Amino acid sequence: MRQSRHVGRTLREVPKDAQTAAHSLMLRAGCIQQLSAGVYSYLPLLHRTLNKIAQIIREEMTRAGSEELLMPALQPRELWEESGRWERYTAVDGIMFAFKDRRGSTSCLGPTHEEVVTEILRREINSYKDLPKCVFQIQTKFRDEIRPRFGLMRAREFIMKDAYSFDADDAGLEASYEAMRQAYHRICQRVGYKYRAVEADSGAIGGSGSSEFMVLADTGEEVVLFCDRCEYAANQEKAASKLEQFAPDTAQAPMEEVFGEGLIGVERLAKFLQIPVWKTTKTLIYEADEQTVAVMVRGDCDVNEIKVANFLGCRALKLASAERIKGLTGAEVGYAGPIGLPAGVRVMADQDVNGRVNFECGANKTNYHNINVNFVRDLPLPEFGDFKLAKAGDGCPHCAGRLQAARGIEIGHIFKLGTKYSGAMGCTYLDTNGKTRTVVMGCYGIGVSRMAAAWIEQSHDAKGIIWSPQIAPYHVHLTPLNLEDETVRGQAEALYERLQSEGIEVLYDDRPLRAGEKFSDADLLGLPIRLTLSKRTVEAGQIEFKRRTDAKPELLSADDAIARIREICGL
RNA sequence: CGGAGCGUAGCUCAGCCUGGUAGAGCGCCAGCUUUGGGAGCUGGAUGUCGCAGGUUCGAAUCCUGUCGCUCCGACCA
């Protein structure tokens, strides 16, 4: 491609709306243009990268036995009512674009395709002989994000690959899931990410098990925890952990109410009470749909709201307002405790709250704390469960190692759905005994446009993007100088032709610009290899070869340069 | 959803408080010089000041509404 005809001019100034490196660089390199909040045009450079990513995904999906199709983005309300997700996706979470057409029927733009794919496959599957099946598509998805941000990272319109497996039983699902898991590893490895696969919460999609593929980057929105000794790795939303255990007191002391003015925050409180932090207790009051719950965690922990919501099976979980807390506990925020709450409040506690003797908790009275509290004697046993947020430094749940934290960008998420959709929508088959059974499903998503953004987030420097050869828009940036010189111009044109004829993708900067502008643009666009011709190189009879990651260029013959390009780009 | 901020030239922004009919830098166009990391000089073009009302002799500026964009958000007991 001749750069003089290329659409996607570079920007010298940093666009004000860009909060992250990837967003800023994509705008500056002319990869994207914003059309409205969270909606972007993919300009030619990025379009090429997206196609390359899509191609890698296609190849790996196909290798794993999945077949490509394309489903409608525009979907009827009735289908979503059949699966039972309409209300949640529209009224409750509002994540789905929905609207009436001219006939008055309601449609939506699909944020995901479980309903449609189940509709397709339930007509396809009759017998166990028709299983397993697996299909995928690469398509534009729509999510009415509460707050779109970071460019392509959290957009309202984005490109995603989603695959769906259909099996006769759980064993079949395990096999399908494993094939997809392997495919996802291969995709990440082929692109070249530094990444981790982690255990994850399955969220709104539902289902029993899931893994996320996280590209490691400091600006990632997710926190992943992984063990320094074993293979355990999980999203913080899902992660379990073992807390350090302390020897309990040998005898119960009498419960006491202690005045401690304005003591909010467990560190200060523990110091004041002269007890270790692990003996303090945080009690948080939540509104969970229609019920009110109090959740207790050890003072050195925080509540993992996702675990609580999953335990309760509620749709919405949020901290109670200050007024509500005052109404329930009679105290200002900060002094809630499990003793003396109104009868309707359901009391739950993280399991590590148990096993302590003479612990502290809020007294439901402003500025007062109870100490030497003991279950059974002072209050009934609450419902115990795993409700704490695991954090770096906690013990690994599976071995004696410690958890470490890293930030990541979630690019892929695979789920064992089970029969949630097939059951609701009647996707069944007859087994060998002629008995009707429900198909067991899995779903496997990976964000194509987000993968491009994640790559840049992980691979850039002060000057610009550093593409990997596998997903770079072009392999080579041909940047001749002194184009006014006939000889240079002639050689540049000839080299441009030769590279193309050899199947090397080349962006040819044929603009009559100065060296500084060309090189700065080349660094910004970040193609893997830069080739430069000039009066100097003509005299030397060689061409200048520089990788984006090299500091200095080297002089090579055209043949040698092409050989190097082939080697680097795996051509 | 709540809170806040911003919409002025292609881009980044000043001007607004204190009303008098619009500016800078970069970019763009022409010419000359320059020519290996965004060079210099000279000349030039460019705006429904987001939109709609209102106040006023007069509105980018004040008021109201509206649309768009951006940022922040339960101080965890």
Side-chain angles (χ1 to χ4, degrees):
Chain A
M1 181 68 204
R2 285 174 192 270
Q3 215 166 335
S4 60
R5 307 194 56 169
H6 164 66
V7 172
R9 66 183 308 131
T10 55
L11 305 177
R12 203 191 299 198
E13 302 194 61
V14 180
K16 62 172 176 179
D17 291 343
Q19 305 298 312
T20 60
H23 189 193
S24 171
L25 289 171
M26 277 194 190
L27 287 167
R28 286 216 293 135
C31 288
I32 53 172
Q33 234 185 60
Q34 181 170 355
L35 187 62
S36 70
V39 179
Y40 294 84
S41 298
Y42 311 115
L43 300 184
L45 279 180
L46 188 73
H47 186 242
R48 291 182 67 94
T49 287
L50 293 174
N51 280 339
K52 291 194 175 186
I53 292 171
Q55 188 53 31
I56 290 172
I57 292 171
R58 273 197 182 95
E59 288 170 14
E60 295 306 329
M61 284 295 112
T62 304
R63 186 202 299 268
S66 187
E67 192 179 22
E68 186 168 9
L69 49 55
L70 185 57
M71 294 180 267
L74 190 65
Q75 304 175 12
R77 168 182 187 149
E78 289 71 21
L79 205 52
W80 284 74
E81 287 179 332
E82 195 176 344
S83 72
R85 285 207 291 186
W86 178 261
E87 198 198 350
R88 170 151 193 180
Y89 271 65
T90 55
V92 179
D93 291 343
I95 205 80
M96 187 158 67
F97 290 103
F99 49 88
K100 275 192 170 36
D101 65 20
R102 66 172 74 198
R103 292 173 311 193
S105 55
T106 308
S107 298
C108 59
L109 291 173
T112 177
H113 279 72
E114 282 79 9
E115 283 79 2
V116 179
V117 79
T118 304
E119 160 72 12
I120 294 169
L121 270 292
R122 71 180 168 186
R123 301 203 211 174
E124 189 78 10
I125 296 166
N126 297 308
S127 152
Y128 69 94
K129 295 172 196 164
D130 297 324
L131 295 170
K133 302 273 192 221
C134 185
V135 293
F136 76 98
Q137 64 173 347
I138 294 173
Q139 195 214 32
T140 297
K141 295 274 196 271
F142 300 87
R143 287 175 63 98
D144 192 359
E145 290 286 349
I146 293 169
R147 193 137 96 80
R149 59 185 131 177
F150 307 143
L152 300 190
M153 212 62 91
R154 187 166 294 282
R156 296 197 299 166
E157 177 175 332
F158 56 97
I159 300 172
M160 180 165 157
K161 184 284 304 179
D162 47 331
Y164 304 89
S165 66
F166 296 79
D167 282 281
D169 51 28
D170 287 345
L173 171 60
E174 287 300 328
S176 294
Y177 184 86
E178 180 58 20
M180 283 293 144
R181 207 177 61 80
Q182 295 296 342
Y184 274 51
H185 275 294
R186 292 187 59 95
I187 290 164
C188 289
Q189 284 159 10
R190 281 183 63 181
V191 174
Y193 291 117
K194 293 189 281 284
Y195 76 100
R196 277 198 106 98
V198 304
E199 290 181 16
D201 180 74
S202 42
I205 305 275
S208 56
S210 75
S211 297
E212 286 169 339
F213 287 76
M214 297 282 197
V215 168
L216 301 178
D218 293 338
T219 50
E221 291 188 88
E222 306 284 337
V223 175
V224 302
L225 295 171
F226 53 95
C227 178
D228 59 7
R229 294 257 293 260
C230 74
E231 291 303 300
Y232 182 73
N235 189 316
Q236 190 175 30
E237 293 178 350
K238 163 85 177 179
S241 69
K242 284 194 299 222
L243 292 184
E244 191 179 351
Q245 298 297 323
F246 302 91
D249 294 359
T250 46
Q252 293 187 355
M255 185 170 89
E256 243 182 282
E257 198 177 84
V258 178
F259 177 78
E261 189 167 9
L263 282 174
I264 293 182
V266 293
E267 297 289 344
R268 281 178 61 209
L269 177 65
K271 202 164 184 178
F272 174 80
L273 295 172
Q274 296 187 300
I275 57 174
V277 170
W278 65 266
K279 275 197 175 182
T280 65
T281 308
K282 293 176 183 170
T283 306
L284 278 69
I285 312 290
Y286 287 93
E287 306 281 0
D289 296 341
E290 305 307 313
Q291 62 179 330
T292 304
V293 298
V295 182
M296 303 166 66
V297 291
R298 223 169 77 174
D300 52 342
C301 296
D302 289 309
V303 171
N304 182 327
E305 296 182 4
I306 291 169
K307 289 179 180 176
V308 174
N310 286 344
F311 179 87
L312 293 170
C314 63
R315 287 200 287 204
L317 181 79
K318 56 180 185 195
L319 277 170
S321 67
E323 300 79 57
R324 179 95 177 109
I325 288 174
K326 198 165 182 187
L328 287 162
T329 67
E332 298 294 331
V333 173
Y335 304 94
I339 300 174
L341 288 172
V345 179
R346 182 168 171 184
V347 182
M348 299 158 51
D350 180 70
Q351 57 225 0
D352 282 298
V353 165
N354 206 0
R356 298 179 301 172
V357 174
N358 301 330
F359 58 90
E360 173 280 346
C361 48
N364 291 327
K365 192 169 162 187
T366 301
N367 294 330
Y368 284 88
H369 305 268
N370 286 325
I371 60 168
N372 298 330
V373 179
N374 289 285
F375 284 123
V376 183
R377 185 193 69 183
D378 304 319
L379 73 160
L381 282 174
E383 294 177 81
F384 287 108
D386 177 12
F387 303 127
K388 66 180 168 292
L389 188 71
K391 58 190 181 297
D394 285 357
C396 171
H398 297 320
C399 77
R402 296 221 156 270
L403 296 181
Q404 295 188 303
R407 298 199 78 88
I409 298 163
E410 178 193 344
I411 56 163
H413 199 163
I414 60 177
F415 301 84
K416 293 175 195 168
L417 288 179
T419 56
K420 178 168 172 171
Y421 300 94
S422 49
M425 295 180 60
C427 181
T428 58
Y429 68 97
L430 292 184
D431 68 10
T432 50
N433 300 317
K435 227 178 121 185
T436 297
R437 292 195 177 278
T438 303
V439 168
V440 184
M441 291 172 58
C443 89
Y444 316 93
I446 190 164
V448 176
S449 44
R450 184 181 276 187
M451 283 172 75
W455 176 268
I456 296 173
E457 207 58 49
Q458 192 175 75
S459 177
H460 66 273
D461 63 15
K463 292 176 174 174
I465 302 170
I466 303 174
W467 288 113
S468 74
Q470 287 69 36
I471 61 169
Y474 294 90
H475 300 126
V476 170
H477 205 163
L478 176 58
T479 58
L481 309 175
N482 317 121
L483 276 174
E484 70 289 348
D485 182 294
E486 289 296 325
T487 316
V488 175
R489 160 76 68 175
Q491 284 195 6
E493 293 286 335
L495 183 57
Y496 176 50
E497 292 303 324
R498 177 167 175 200
L499 289 166
Q500 286 181 297
S501 70
E502 302 231 11
I504 293 166
E505 298 166 1
V506 50
L507 181 64
Y508 171 27
D509 191 349
D510 59 337
R511 302 171 301 172
L513 300 180
R514 304 167 69 84
E517 295 171 85
K518 290 203 174 193
F519 291 158
S520 294
D521 269 359
D523 289 337
L524 179 57
L525 301 194
L527 302 182
I529 294 152
R530 191 183 85 192
L531 295 181
T532 301
L533 295 170
S534 67
K535 285 181 187 169
R536 283 186 203 172
T537 62
V538 167
E539 278 170 29
Q542 291 187 300
I543 59 182
E544 228 175 75
F545 176 100
K546 180 184 167 301
R547 294 186 68 160
R548 176 63 176 80
T549 46
D550 291 339
K552 299 265 184 220
E554 56 187 307
L555 286 171
L556 296 177
S557 70
D559 289 343
D560 287 349
I562 287 171
R564 286 284 301 281
I565 294 164
R566 292 192 166 290
E567 183 193 330
I568 289 165
C569 299
L571 298 173

